[in-house]
Every structure is written in structure tokens, then in C-alpha cells.
Amino acid sequence: MRILVAILSCHTNGHGQNWGSALREAQRDTWLCDAVVDHRYFMGRGEGPAMTDEVWLDVPDDYDSLPIKSLALIAWAYAHDYDFLFKCDDDTYCRMDRLLLSGFEAHDYSGFRKISPWFGWAIEFAQGGAGYWLSRRAMQAVLGFAGKPCTWGPEDLNLARILAAHGIRLHHDPRYQWTMDSVPRPDNDIITAHRCTPQDFERIHSQWPQN
């Protein structure tokens, strides 16, 4: 089974906080050190050489273009024959050991369930920053969507809209947290925490014995 951990990022903003590459470096220095599966950062167009763990997609790199970027990310993963894709953001901390033992393979689409009326009706979606899983079947459904893809709004809601049109429902897993109210610790079962600062990565990661 081929698994890709795909991290949405951008060249300059650092998730809107002017952190530049600091979030990526903090992830590389902490939880990505324990990665035993493929992982890549997905960014838009840029100048200069990409690092070995970066994929520069032929899409704009601004925040408003995240729906386009996420669809291009899925297309890249599908074209490279991955069976499952875990997508999160560059301000997300993840316990890799827990992630791979989470039971994701039993579902086409899983993550932390939220509900939004963004498209005019209540739609269930997996919160993107906390991270969500897509099976190859779900990736294929997204890429084969016959309707007009959204080029605006939240990328996670756009994805849920497409999957719902194909009858693919979300499996809720509360271990993927979209705030810093509950973060991974040795005494809980939380897998991810979202909205981390560069300093938060080290603080959370330091709770575990280091290899």
C-alpha cells in the first residue's frame, strides 16, 4: 500500500503569518523526522530550484487559489500511483506513528467532521487543517467530477461537495484536531493539532523520547 503525506504550503506567507519557510523547517525538524512513508510539500509557481521534498504545481500560490492547488495536489498523487493520501497544512503537527495506525484504510474519506452552509446547504466536511484521508477511489471521484470545479472558497468544503456528489460520505475521527485546544501528548490519542506556530512544533514534539 502506497501512502503519501501531502502538506499544503506556499512560498512566502507561511500560512498567512509572514513566517516564510519557518513552518516547513519546523515540521522537517520535528514530526517529519519520523516519517516512514513518502511526504511532499505542495506549493504553487515559484522561482529557483525546489527542495527534494517540494512539488511546485503549475497553479497560483495565493490563499484564494487553494481549491485549485488542492485539486492539482490530488491529481499529482493519483498520477504517481498512491493508494491513500493524507492531506494537512504547513501549520499542522502530526504524530506519524498514530497516523499510520489510525485505521484510515477502512474508509474512502475520513477526518474531523464539521458542518457548513457555505454552498447554500448544510454539508459535512473534513476540516482541512486538521488533516483528511482520501483513498484512491476518492481521488478518482474528485478528478472525474463532471460539474464545474470551484475556484473560490475553502478547499476542504469544495472537496466535500465533490465527494458528496459521488456518494462518498465522511467518516468522522475526532483524533484529528483543528485547534490547539487539544494537542498530541503521550497520555492521549490525538493524532494532529492545527494552527501551530514554529515554536509549537518543538514544544509538542519534545514530549516524546527522541530517536
Side-chain angles (χ1 to χ4, degrees), residues 113-190:
R113 180 191 292 118
K114 298 189 73 179
I115 300 175
S116 172
W118 182 275
F119 293 108
W121 69 92
I123 186 169
E124 294 183 345
F125 68 100
Q127 207 284 333
Y132 55 73
W133 283 98
L134 295 177
S135 69
R136 188 163 181 83
R137 173 175 176 260
M139 288 187 266
Q140 186 176 35
V142 170
L143 299 176
F145 184 54
K148 183 179 180 181
C150 279
T151 58
W152 53 272
E155 61 87 14
D156 44 12
L157 278 165
N158 182 46
L159 177 74
R161 177 183 71 99
I162 297 173
L163 292 174
H166 285 271
I168 296 177
R169 298 290 302 276
L170 170 68
H171 171 74
H172 173 58
D173 192 329
R175 294 175 294 176
Y176 301 95
Q177 288 290 306
W178 58 282
T179 71
M180 294 293 290
D181 293 338
S182 185
V183 303
R185 299 192 311 270
D187 62 352
N188 66 26
D189 64 352
I190 301 300

Side-chain angles (χ1 to χ4, degrees), residues 33-205:
C33 288
D34 301 324
V36 294
V37 296
D38 292 347
H39 60 278
R40 297 287 188 278
Y41 286 98
F42 288 86
M43 302 149 77
R45 302 183 192 102
E47 298 180 357
M51 296 186 67
T52 56
D53 63 352
E54 295 174 354
V55 176
W56 293 7
L57 302 165
D58 188 20
V59 298
D61 201 46
D62 59 294
Y63 183 82
D64 291 339
S65 298
L66 282 178
I68 302 173
K69 187 186 290 185
S70 65
L71 293 178
L73 177 162
I74 294 169
W76 190 95
Y78 189 83
H80 286 76
D81 297 322
Y82 286 99
D83 299 300
F84 281 90
L85 161 70
F86 178 72
K87 176 267 167 188
C88 64
D89 290 346
D90 58 7
D91 61 344
T92 302
Y93 180 90
C94 176
R95 281 303 301 175
M96 186 65 71
D97 50 352
R98 295 177 178 182
L99 180 73
L100 298 179
L101 294 174
S102 63
F104 65 90
E105 65 275 10
H107 312 284
D108 288 313
Y109 175 39
S110 60
F112 189 98
R113 180 191 292 118
K114 298 189 73 179
I115 300 175
S116 172
W118 182 275
F119 293 108
W121 69 92
I123 186 169
E124 294 183 345
F125 68 100
Q127 207 284 333
Y132 55 73
W133 283 98
L134 295 177
S135 69
R136 188 163 181 83
R137 173 175 176 260
M139 288 187 266
Q140 186 176 35
V142 170
L143 299 176
F145 184 54
K148 183 179 180 181
C150 279
T151 58
W152 53 272
E155 61 87 14
D156 44 12
L157 278 165
N158 182 46
L159 177 74
R161 177 183 71 99
I162 297 173
L163 292 174
H166 285 271
I168 296 177
R169 298 290 302 276
L170 170 68
H171 171 74
H172 173 58
D173 192 329
R175 294 175 294 176
Y176 301 95
Q177 288 290 306
W178 58 282
T179 71
M180 294 293 290
D181 293 338
S182 185
V183 303
R185 299 192 311 270
D187 62 352
N188 66 26
D189 64 352
I190 301 300
I191 298 173
T192 64
H194 180 45
R195 299 177 180 171
C196 296
T197 67
Q199 293 73 32
D200 287 331
F201 287 111
E202 178 58 36
R203 176 178 60 83
I204 298 172
H205 197 67

